[in-house]
Amino acid sequence: QVQLVESGGGLVQAGGSLRLSCAASGSIFSINAMGWYRQAPGKQRELVAAITSGGSTNYADSVKGRFTISRDNAKNTVYLQMNSLKPEDTAVYYCNAAAVGDYWGQGTQVTVSS
């Protein structure tokens, strides 16, 4: 079992920045990759960014050049630095850990005002 606790969401004006954190605990040795997904009202959940245990990263086209995913292995924490935020980035952001199964955090709201 893996437990994920997210933090760092909030309200920000367009052009601003936020950093999301996701702290993992439990069977962290089983995690192959971690990522951030988001779900806006009326839309499907979509991948925003992911990082593998080897450090490889990938991003949705809509966030490339603006968002950066990183991790601190000592703290078992993954971060999502979000810069140049746009109103269309407004969504609930979920942390995901891909292990033997898929694990999800509780979600954190990000609201970008125009």
Side-chain angles (χ1 to χ4, degrees):
Q1 292 287 332
V2 175
Q3 294 79 44
L4 303 172
V5 178
E6 301 137 341
S7 61
L11 173 64
V12 65
Q13 288 187 332
S17 298
L18 283 174
R19 188 177 80 157
L20 306 183
S21 300
C22 174
S25 61
S27 302
I28 55 175
F29 60 89
S30 66
I31 297 174
N32 297 312
M34 293 187 70
W36 288 95
Y37 287 71
R38 68 186 180 187
Q39 187 166 20
K43 294 188 177 182
Q44 289 188 330
R45 190 173 296 189
E46 62 175 358
L47 175 68
V48 176
I51 185 166
T52 68
S53 56
S56 298
T57 58
N58 68 289
Y59 297 90
D61 287 343
S62 60
V63 306
K64 284 180 180 177
R66 301 188 297 123
F67 291 10
T68 303
I69 190 170
S70 62
R71 65 183 189 185
D72 184 333
N73 290 333
K75 296 182 178 179
N76 299 320
T77 299
V78 171
Y79 304 97
L80 184 68
Q81 178 66 44
M82 305 185 293
N83 298 328
S84 302
L85 282 160
K86 304 175 181 180
E88 51 262 45
D89 294 318
T90 295
V92 178
Y93 283 69
Y94 296 91
C95 180
N96 168 268
V100 175
D102 255 344
Y103 298 92
W104 295 92
Q106 79 281 6
T108 185
Q109 177 70 46
V110 171
T111 303
V112 184
S113 64
S114 57

